[in-house]
Amino acid sequence: MRQSVLLLFTLFAFSCSPKGTFRIIDKPITWNEQREQLSLQYLKDRHGLEQSAATIEPQMVVVHWTAIDNIEVTFDVFDPPLLGGRADLTGASNLNVSSQFLIDRDGTIFRLLPDTTFARHTIGLNYLAIGVENIGSDDMPLTKAQLKANEQLVRYLKRKYPIDYVIGHHEYQNFQTTELWKEADPNYRTVKTDPGDKFMNQLRKNLEDLNLKPVPKL
């Protein structure tokens, strides 16, 4: 009897522990023939890569924020295969923007696409980069829960793939002079501020033990 009570107490204490369990919730956006063909065309036209499948070999994680304040609206923006209302981007391709992962304000991690499925999220680097979007903006800085979730997700991905870099979206142009950069149009660039140096410096500090490569200097 005493052992049973002790076991129940232990299970109850464990279930009430403030330390959350790392988990990924699958919330897939539309992946159909149209999106796949647009992705293959993007790989060919923008990255100079002819592939039979719209997949990537991950070497990098790019951290973004959505500039949208909730999960469901962000999902609705990413879900259609075709991009709408973005003249700065439709000139390069009608493929909609998206990412493989999306993290809510409370740190909940959603997987929108399989890890190695191509997503359009970072000019010049999509073909080797896993994108991680976070609900936030300049006016809604990312949270401590999101910082922890990004760290956990990067560690999970690093165990599966040879990830060398973890960068902020605002740092992508630093790779223009490296052998990793693949963008056909030298004038196709967008200026980004997300998620900012403060968040990325803290994230990389938390990941120091992974011995990631530093972001190249411009």
Side-chain angles (χ1 to χ4, degrees):
M1 180 67 176
R2 182 179 178 184
Q3 288 181 331
S4 297
V5 171
L6 181 60
L7 177 61
L8 287 172
F9 177 81
T10 302
L11 291 172
F12 177 79
F14 179 79
S15 66
C16 294
S17 172
K19 183 179 180 181
T21 301
F22 173 72
R23 61 172 58 89
I24 296 171
I25 300 171
D26 286 312
K27 187 178 175 66
I29 58 174
T30 298
W31 183 266
N32 55 16
E33 180 67 19
Q34 183 183 40
R35 195 172 211 136
E36 183 165 19
Q37 290 306 311
L38 286 168
S39 297
L40 289 170
Q41 196 65 44
Y42 193 104
L43 280 161
K44 179 180 179 181
D45 294 346
R46 312 311 309 181
H47 297 317
L49 299 172
E50 292 204 41
Q51 298 183 189
S52 59
T55 57
I56 67 171
E57 295 182 3
Q59 300 176 48
M60 176 185 296
V61 173
V62 182
V63 180
H64 307 250
W65 65 35
T66 58
I68 299 172
D69 65 5
N70 70 80
I71 283 285
E72 293 306 325
V73 173
T74 299
F75 182 87
D76 290 344
V77 168
F78 288 168
D79 188 49
L82 285 172
L83 179 65
R86 293 285 302 274
D88 58 329
L89 299 180
T90 53
S93 172
N94 286 321
L95 173 65
N96 197 8
V97 295
S98 62
S99 66
Q100 287 84 357
F101 293 93
L102 175 61
I103 301 179
D104 207 348
R105 303 287 292 169
D106 64 357
T108 303
I109 304 170
F110 296 92
R111 178 164 29 216
L112 306 183
L113 291 168
D115 304 353
T116 58
T117 294
F118 180 86
R120 180 186 184 182
H121 59 92
T122 305
I123 294 170
L125 300 169
N126 297 299
Y127 76 97
L128 55 67
I130 292 174
V132 181
E133 289 280 357
N134 292 266
I135 300 299
S137 65
D138 279 312
D139 297 324
M140 193 168 57
L142 303 189
T143 66
K144 290 181 179 178
Q146 286 173 308
L147 178 64
K148 181 62 177 178
N150 276 269
E151 178 188 346
Q152 291 176 318
L153 180 56
V154 169
R155 291 184 182 281
Y156 162 80
L157 294 170
K158 177 68 171 173
R159 288 194 294 270
K160 297 177 69 177
Y161 311 107
I163 302 297
D164 290 326
Y165 297 95
V166 174
I167 74 167
H169 195 193
H170 66 293
E171 299 171 313
Y172 84 96
Q173 292 198 46
N174 290 46
F175 286 82
Q176 291 178 93
T177 59
T178 74
E179 61 182 12
L180 299 179
W181 183 260
K182 293 185 185 297
E183 168 50 48
D185 184 353
N187 297 314
Y188 178 45
R189 306 287 187 273
T190 54
V191 177
K192 298 296 180 180
T193 62
D194 60 312
D197 288 336
K198 181 179 178 180
F199 186 86
M200 289 310 304
N201 289 342
Q202 185 60 61
L203 177 58
R204 285 191 286 256
K205 181 179 179 181
N206 293 353
L207 296 168
E208 281 181 343
D209 59 294
L210 298 185
N211 296 314
L212 298 165
K213 294 181 180 180
V215 177
K217 301 294 184 181
L218 278 176

